[in-house]
Amino acid sequence: MPPEPRPGRGWLLRLVIAFAFAQGAVSMARPAVSYRALSLGADERAIGVIAGVYALLPLFAAVPLGRRTDHGRCAPLLPVGVVLIGGGCALSGTAGSLPALAAWSGVMGLGHLCFVIGAQSLVARQSAPAEQDRNFGHFTIGASLGQLVGPIAAGYLISERDGAMARTSALALLVSATVAAVSFTSLWRIEHRRSADRPREAAPKVPVGSILRTRGVPAGILISLAVLSATDILTAYLPVVGEHRGIAPATVGLLLSLRAAATIACRLVMTPMLRAVGRAALLSTTCLLGGLLCAAIALPVPVWGLAVMLAVLGFCLGVGQPLSMTTVVQAAPAAARSTALALRLTGNRLGQVAAPASAGLIAGVAGTAAPFVMLGALLVGAAGLGLRGGGGAAAAGAAPGPGPAPEAPAPRAERSRAERDPA
């Protein structure tokens, strides 16, 4: 009997569409939360704390959700995530105090985590080994589309004229809840039956410590943490920079969306870039350039200069997330790929807790542009990791596709190629 064919790519298109709406809701809500907090009297430190709370609940929930997905289905996490995102957005819009705003922002973050763990595990499980770079790149286009449209919509809806920011930021949050609900229309039969049944045949749980000691996994986690922290602080703190420099909310929304558009462009051409320079060189170069551009945001440049920097920065930041996903998936043991992806997301959320809180402290002492210098240093460090640790997935000899990892060493030709093109 011939083997059952892999699922077609219709599921990936529907997943990208669903992710675009879910991420669009979050990307619309994040700056709206910052503006609503400003309307409630928050300072730079409070903005940093609220941005950090967004990641606090996910920090503790990621690994248990990854364990559950390794030994069960991926798809049920997607609607759960949409419900939590929509609820968190709507309730943030009705919050009348900073603690309540922070709490509902945390619920939104938990929903985003549920959706992303389910979606990333689905891509890893239903993609052939040779398709993983491409499919993760296409999957993250959904996030970039949401990041492109969300800030523009938030900037269009939010107005600070005549003291209207409290009302208009609440409206933006309620609209973002509606946007999240649209994701439900693309989630039907998204998980292939054969993929859904396979995890129940998996081996016993792989200890978390063993996963973290696998070569390639720590590098993938730390690179992802640096890139996501940069994206997150850009989203949360560019409105604050705009307030101090006299840039209107609508213009700030356009600047954030320009960064997201550049990220989409990067992911559309990622396959030829990988063929041209290799994964390690691409990761390290883009992280290094991104770090320099992040630090340059601290300079008092005109709006057009800020737009140019954010466009190039968005292109650079587009590389780190999909390639770190592939790095972690291919390095991790076959029975623990969802857990490894969850550990990567735990690292992301740890960065989202620590980076905004640190940014708030730095901004309170050294000014609103100083956090971007901190991000620059973080990305420069990630560039070194891209060269030193990015080869773990290939070098570890882990099987990138479903099923057990091969016990025999890779053929000599494959080992040579892995040494030239790590990560």
Side-chain angles (χ1 to χ4, degrees):
M1 181 178 178
E4 186 177 352
R6 285 189 174 274
R9 297 188 67 196
W11 65 271
L12 182 60
L13 176 60
R14 287 187 281 114
L15 185 62
V16 169
I17 293 170
F19 195 23
F21 281 103
Q23 184 65 54
V26 171
S27 298
M28 187 176 178
R30 297 300 301 285
V33 165
S34 294
Y35 281 117
R36 182 151 182 83
L38 289 170
S39 75
L40 294 173
D43 58 11
E44 290 87 353
R45 292 182 181 87
I47 296 287
V49 170
I50 291 170
V53 171
Y54 169 84
L56 192 60
L57 285 175
L59 188 62
F60 299 103
V63 172
L65 287 172
R67 290 287 196 201
R68 177 223 165 270
T69 307
D70 270 324
H71 298 279
R73 296 178 60 211
C74 306
L77 282 179
L78 304 181
V80 171
V82 172
V83 168
L84 291 174
I85 290 170
C89 291
L91 292 167
S92 293
T94 61
S97 66
L98 294 178
L101 187 62
W104 295 125
S105 180
V107 171
M108 187 199 317
L110 181 60
H112 188 258
L113 175 85
C114 289
F115 190 99
V116 171
I117 286 181
Q120 288 182 7
S121 299
L122 200 63
V123 175
R125 195 173 288 174
Q126 296 190 168
S127 300
E131 297 174 342
Q132 285 178 345
D133 274 332
R134 182 196 65 192
N135 285 359
F136 275 123
H138 289 174
F139 164 70
T140 52
I141 286 175
S144 299
L145 286 170
Q147 290 165 355
L148 170 65
V149 177
I152 291 179
Y156 177 78
L157 290 171
I158 298 168
S159 172
E160 54 188 340
R161 294 179 182 174
D162 303 320
M165 189 183 290
R167 177 178 56 81
T168 56
S169 60
L171 174 63
L173 286 162
L174 293 174
V175 171
S176 66
T178 304
V179 171
V182 180
S183 299
F184 283 117
T185 61
S186 296
L187 296 180
W188 48 275
R189 298 182 64 184
I190 204 165
E191 187 168 17
H192 194 255
R193 179 175 299 176
R194 180 167 171 254
S195 300
D197 291 341
R198 185 181 295 113
R200 294 182 176 86
E201 305 165 6
K205 291 181 181 179
V206 180
V208 169
S210 176
I211 299 171
L212 290 174
R213 287 191 296 271
T214 303
R215 187 182 174 194
V217 171
I221 290 172
L222 292 172
I223 291 168
S224 180
L225 183 155
V227 172
L228 187 68
S229 294
T231 304
D232 204 56
I233 290 181
L234 273 174
T235 303
Y237 267 83
L238 203 60
V240 182
V241 171
E243 281 288 293
H244 282 259
R245 298 185 186 178
I247 304 172
T251 305
V252 170
L254 286 171
L255 289 171
L256 288 171
S257 296
L258 178 63
R259 183 215 53 87
T263 298
I264 293 173
C266 166
R267 288 166 181 169
L268 288 173
V269 298
M270 188 173 296
T271 300
M273 286 194 300
L274 281 168
R275 283 198 296 262
V277 300
R279 192 178 295 158
L282 187 60
L283 269 173
S284 58
T285 302
T286 53
C287 284
L288 178 61
L289 182 55
L292 297 175
L293 288 167
C294 265
I297 293 175
L299 301 174
V301 296
V303 173
W304 67 264
L306 196 58
V308 171
M309 287 193 296
L310 286 171
V312 181
L313 177 60
F315 192 91
C316 292
L317 294 179
V319 170
Q321 292 290 28
L323 294 193
S324 69
M325 290 177 203
T326 308
T327 297
V328 169
V329 165
Q330 294 188 356
R337 291 198 177 111
S338 293
T339 304
L341 286 169
L343 287 169
R344 174 185 168 277
L345 289 171
T346 300
N348 287 353
R349 295 308 187 258
L350 181 61
Q352 287 181 299
V353 171
S358 302
L361 291 173
I362 293 171
V365 173
T368 55
F372 297 102
V373 177
M374 178 192 75
L375 284 180
L378 190 62
L379 284 168
V380 169
L385 286 172
L387 284 175
R388 294 185 58 190
E407 296 181 3
R412 184 177 184 84
E414 291 184 15
R415 290 202 303 273
S416 299
R417 181 170 60 85
E419 290 163 2
R420 291 196 308 270
D421 182 18

